[in-house]
Amino acid sequence: MQEAIQEKYVHVHGLNTHYWEVGEGEPIIFIHGGGAGADGWGNWNHLMPQFAKEGYRVLALDMVGFGSTESPDPQNYEYSNDNRVKHVIAFIGALDLQQVHLVGNSMGGAASLGVAIQRPELVQKIVLLGSAGRHRPKEGEQSKALLTLQDYEYGWDQMHQIVRSLTNDRFEISDDLVNYRLKFTAKPEVMRAYQATMKWVKENGMYYEDEELRSIRHHIMLIHGKNDKVVPAADSWEILNLVDNASLYVLPNCGHWVMLEYPEQFTEATVRFLKTP
């Protein structure tokens, strides 16, 4: 009988933090991306039981301002990459975890890299899917897909457009997927947090300097969709060339959401990587 995924909350630096958990063993933290309506369940629930079967304690948190985690007022909280990194580090501490594997998509990938840079002793291995971390904003160089995310305004058509920009052209978009993500941005506090997050990204980008990435000694597997419209595969090539213990797996006919577009390939490759000594 398959173990049920449990819904939980924990206070992290005063923020009520929502997460999902299943399984026992080495802990893996799955960190979702930063598109409108993103959360831990939507990105990872279909994969969590498979990793639990492989002997892992699987945790998928909602980042600050997303899903059901608290969304503090942007007047009193900066929705920066560094604050997301600090939140993940504090989440690890709040659960009294000694070391974890990190699996991060997009903005969640940037957070994973930040944890490895700031607190390397907390991390075992890292899997990055279409990871942010090499983008500096330049006038006129924002892709149409990235602008779709940054300029989102609440509405079904707008959310459908976001999902389309995040996936390959063959991916079938269900109404359930659009409606699930839409419900979160219907919350005024989540929408305020999202707008503050995107404003910060527009102004600052999500970029780690070469020397910061060179300092990472962990084994990293980069997974990237060849047809990613949001984060170009070239960004993962840059990370690959800067991190000594990095490998890269590129999937054809795949956009930004490897874990949703090709879940079986993602799971097989990730489990093999994590279990390799």
Side-chain angles (χ1 to χ4, degrees), residues 3-64:
E3 187 178 352
I5 300 173
Q6 298 180 32
E7 183 177 14
K8 297 184 176 182
Y9 286 87
V10 63
H11 280 276
V12 176
H13 282 180
L15 295 171
N16 199 25
T17 300
H18 178 254
Y19 68 103
W20 302 90
E21 179 176 349
V22 65
E24 296 179 353
E26 291 183 2
I28 304 176
I29 298 178
F30 286 81
I31 310 176
H32 63 80
D39 77 322
W41 180 267
N43 267 198
W44 311 110
N45 79 89
H46 61 301
L47 302 170
M48 294 175 69
Q50 300 303 316
F51 283 85
K53 285 181 183 177
E54 294 290 343
Y56 294 101
R57 179 184 177 187
V58 188
L59 306 121
L61 86 157
D62 294 350
M63 290 196 289
V64 179

Side-chain angles (χ1 to χ4, degrees), residues 12-13 15 31 63-64 77-91 107-119 132-133 196-197 200-201 204-208 212:
V12 176
H13 282 180
L15 295 171
I31 310 176
M63 290 196 289
V64 179
Y77 184 89
E78 183 179 54
Y79 283 90
S80 65
N81 184 61
D82 191 56
N83 275 343
R84 281 186 293 277
V85 172
K86 286 180 168 59
H87 182 247
V88 176
I89 291 171
F91 177 75
M107 184 181 284
S112 300
L113 287 168
V115 176
I117 292 166
Q118 293 188 24
R119 294 291 303 277
T197 299
W200 189 93
V201 171
N204 300 277
M206 278 186 282
Y207 188 85
Y208 291 106
E212 291 179 295

Side-chain angles (χ1 to χ4, degrees), residues 61-111:
L61 86 157
D62 294 350
M63 290 196 289
V64 179
F66 289 87
S68 298
T69 286
E70 194 170 342
S71 300
D73 187 336
Q75 296 295 319
N76 305 314
Y77 184 89
E78 183 179 54
Y79 283 90
S80 65
N81 184 61
D82 191 56
N83 275 343
R84 281 186 293 277
V85 172
K86 286 180 168 59
H87 182 247
V88 176
I89 291 171
F91 177 75
I92 294 169
L95 296 185
D96 198 27
L97 303 174
Q98 302 306 305
Q99 270 198 329
V100 301
H101 299 298
L102 295 174
V103 179
N105 169 239
S106 194
M107 184 181 284

